[in-house]
Amino acid sequence: MFPVEESVISSAIIERGSKFLVDLVKSDVIIVGAGPSGLVAGRYIAKTGLKTCIIERRLSFGGGIGGGGMLFPRIVVQEPAQEILEEVGVKLEPYSKGVWIADVAETIAKLAAGAIDSGARILLGANVEDLIVRNSRVCGVVVQWSAVTSAGLHVDPLAFESRAVIDCTGHNAEVVAIAARKNPELGIRVLGEHSMDAVRAEKEVVELTGEVLPGLWVAGMAAAAVRGGPRMGPIFGGMLLSGKKVAELVSRELEVL
Ligand code: 48F
C-alpha cells in the first residue's frame, strides 16, 4: 500500500475542504435539509445547471426516510410519485393498485446519489441558524457547524449567499420559523401541522409548496407546517412531488426553465 504520511492527509483535507467551502459562499439555490423533499428538489434544480447546495445538520442524509413507519424499514409511495424513485433506480415492489413499497436504505442512498450526480453539493454537519435578509428579501443563510451548536460554544457563524433559499427542514419548518421570529415586520407565520389525514395531506403538501417570502420557498413537510396542513405519516409521494414542484417553481423564477 502506498505510504501516505499524516502531513499529507491533513493538508489535503484542509486545502480541498476550504476550497469546497469557499465555492459555497455564493450559490443560485440553497436547500436546507437533506430529507426526501430536499434531495428531490436538489436533483431537479441542479439538473437545470443552477449552482445548488443542500445544507444538512446531521452527518447523514435521508431525514425521516430512515425511520420508515415505526422503524419498520419500508415506506409507501403512490402514483405518480413512484416515477421519481424509478428515475434514480429505486426498486419498487407493487403492493396494491397505485401503491408501491420501497426499502428505506435504498431510497436514501439513491435519492442522495441522484442529487449528487445531477451536480448538487451536500454540506453535512452544518446547521442553518439564521437568514440573510436585505430589503425584505431573503438572500442566503447563516450557518454554523452542528457540533459547535451542540456544544453551546459562542462562535460566530458564516453566511452563504444565494438567489433562492428553500426550507426543506420537515415538521418544524425551521427556516421559515427563524424568518418569522427574527423579522416580525415581514408578516410570515408558521401555523403548525394539523393531525393526521393521509389522503388530504398528500394532496395538500404539494399544493402548499411555494414561495412564502421574496427569496424564501418551502417544500415537503415544512410546507404543511407553515400553512397548517395535516400530517400523513410514512407515505412519501407528497414529499417527492413537493420537491419536484419547488424545483420547477424556483428554476422558472431564476429563469432557467
Ligand atoms: O424531516 P425530513 O425528512 O423532511 P421532509 O423532506 O420529509 C418529511 C418526511 O421525512 C416524513 C413525513 C412523511 O412523508 O412526514 O417526516 O419534509 O428532513 C428534514 C431534514 O432537515 C434537516 C434535518 O436534520 C432533516 O435531515 N434540518 C432540519 N433543520 C435544519 C436541518 C437546520 N436548521 N439546518 C440544517 N438542516
Side-chain angles (χ1 to χ4, degrees), residues 191-203:
L191 297 177
E193 75 189 24
H194 289 196
S195 292
M196 193 177 285
D197 178 343
V199 173
R200 225 187 92 203
E202 283 291 277
K203 187 168 161 281

Side-chain angles (χ1 to χ4, degrees), residues 101-186:
I101 305 293
D103 173 71
V104 296
E106 184 181 4
T107 303
I108 294 169
K110 291 184 174 169
L111 285 180
I116 293 165
D117 289 346
S118 295
R121 268 158 294 190
I122 305 182
L123 179 64
L124 296 174
N127 188 51
V128 169
E129 59 165 49
D130 200 352
L131 293 163
I132 308 171
V133 179
R134 290 190 205 118
N135 302 320
S136 304
R137 184 177 180 87
V138 173
C139 301
V141 297
V142 177
V143 176
Q144 182 55 273
W145 297 121
S146 306
V148 170
T149 307
S150 308
L153 299 176
H154 181 88
V155 178
D156 265 329
L158 290 172
F160 295 175
E161 291 181 31
S162 64
R163 296 164 69 200
V165 173
I166 309 175
D167 183 342
C168 291
T169 62
H171 294 262
N172 294 328
E174 286 202 22
V175 177
V176 181
I178 292 165
R181 191 174 70 247
K182 299 213 167 194
N183 310 274
E185 74 286 358
L186 298 179

